[in-house]
Amino acid sequence: MKHGHGILYAVRKLCVLAILSAGTAYADDPTKAPSPSRATAVATFAGGCFWSMEYPFDRLSGVITTTSGYTGGREQNPTYEKVSSGGTGYAEAVQVTYDPNVVSYEVLLDVFWHNIDPLATNEQFCDEGTQYRTAIFYATPEQQALAEASKLKVHEEFDKPIATEIVAAGRFYAAEEYHQDYYAKNPTRYKSYRAKCGRDQRLLQLWGPPQ
């Protein structure tokens, strides 16, 4: 190697090391460094009380954020008070922002199904009303096709009508701040609610022990 080329190579190497050292978690393994412009996608699911739908997705690698909110209704700017009283057409839902290069939509669908009762119409566990219906709100034709295929598999597994709707995504309104990450902010109250609601017992009956 010529001397000039050797200097240039050394400078480039130092620059790469400097960039990697900016994120210490990746300094020893540049293959794990995050992309500067990470691609993201959005999935929206209604599975009854949105408090109970954030955690299953939050724990997945590749999920960037989860947001509790309302979708599927008619009026603008819905509030928890209005939605929870019924009659607005809205469903409590969770919007999942994720990196499709890390976690697939199929995996998100699988997590969704295993955290709901797909046989219940307009209710989930102890919560009753159309606001607690289950639904998959697809954002693209690909999401629609995958959602319909997954619903067919669930139907074949139970051999019973599946109440979960598959509908085009509309406007999503984030719920009030105190609802966001409720399971983490208020763990004692959340665990008490979940136990009294019988969610885990019913999921065990439907799907068996968590994987």
Side-chain angles (χ1 to χ4, degrees):
M1 181 182 291
K2 293 183 180 180
H3 183 63
H5 288 175
I7 294 175
L8 179 60
Y9 173 79
V11 170
R12 286 177 176 172
K13 185 174 181 181
L14 286 173
C15 288
V16 170
L17 291 175
I19 292 171
L20 292 176
S21 65
T24 55
Y26 306 101
D28 296 328
D29 188 356
T31 64
K32 294 182 180 180
S35 170
S37 56
R38 177 166 49 173
T40 61
V42 172
T44 307
F45 305 104
C49 176
F50 44 33
W51 292 351
S52 296
M53 293 303 292
E54 283 191 321
Y55 173 72
F57 294 108
D58 278 341
R59 63 194 293 267
L60 289 179
S61 177
V63 168
I64 301 167
T65 60
T66 58
T67 304
S68 287
Y70 318 109
T71 194
R74 296 177 292 274
E75 65 184 70
Q76 293 185 345
N77 303 314
T79 64
Y80 180 71
E81 181 178 11
K82 290 181 179 180
V83 173
S84 62
S85 66
T88 65
Y90 281 99
E92 289 195 13
V94 61
Q95 192 171 80
V96 182
T97 302
Y98 65 101
D99 183 343
N101 294 314
V102 179
V103 61
S104 68
Y105 188 67
E106 293 95 323
V107 168
L108 299 181
L109 286 168
D110 188 63
V111 169
F112 166 73
W113 288 115
H114 284 82
N115 281 277
I116 67 163
D117 179 350
L119 308 179
T121 301
N122 293 332
E123 65 176 85
Q124 281 293 285
F125 315 104
C126 67
D127 297 314
E128 299 180 354
T130 58
Q131 66 270 32
Y132 298 111
R133 67 187 183 274
T134 60
I136 300 169
F137 297 91
Y138 61 85
T140 66
E142 181 184 12
Q143 285 190 353
Q144 180 183 12
L146 292 171
E148 290 176 346
S150 70
K151 181 175 179 177
L152 180 60
K153 289 182 179 179
V154 173
H155 172 71
E156 292 172 347
E157 181 168 349
F158 290 101
D159 194 26
K160 294 180 180 179
I162 302 303
T164 303
E165 303 171 355
I166 298 176
V167 293
R171 184 164 182 178
F172 179 90
Y173 292 89
E176 295 81 350
E177 180 58 31
Y178 71 90
H179 288 298
Q180 308 301 331
D181 301 316
Y182 189 89
Y183 72 90
K185 294 176 180 175
N186 303 278
T188 301
R189 294 179 63 184
Y190 171 68
K191 289 177 181 177
S192 175
Y193 155 76
R194 188 175 178 111
K196 291 178 180 178
C197 208
R199 192 177 191 108
D200 293 321
Q201 296 92 317
R202 179 58 175 159
L203 291 177
L204 183 63
Q205 291 176 350
L206 290 166
W207 303 103
Q211 300 298 317

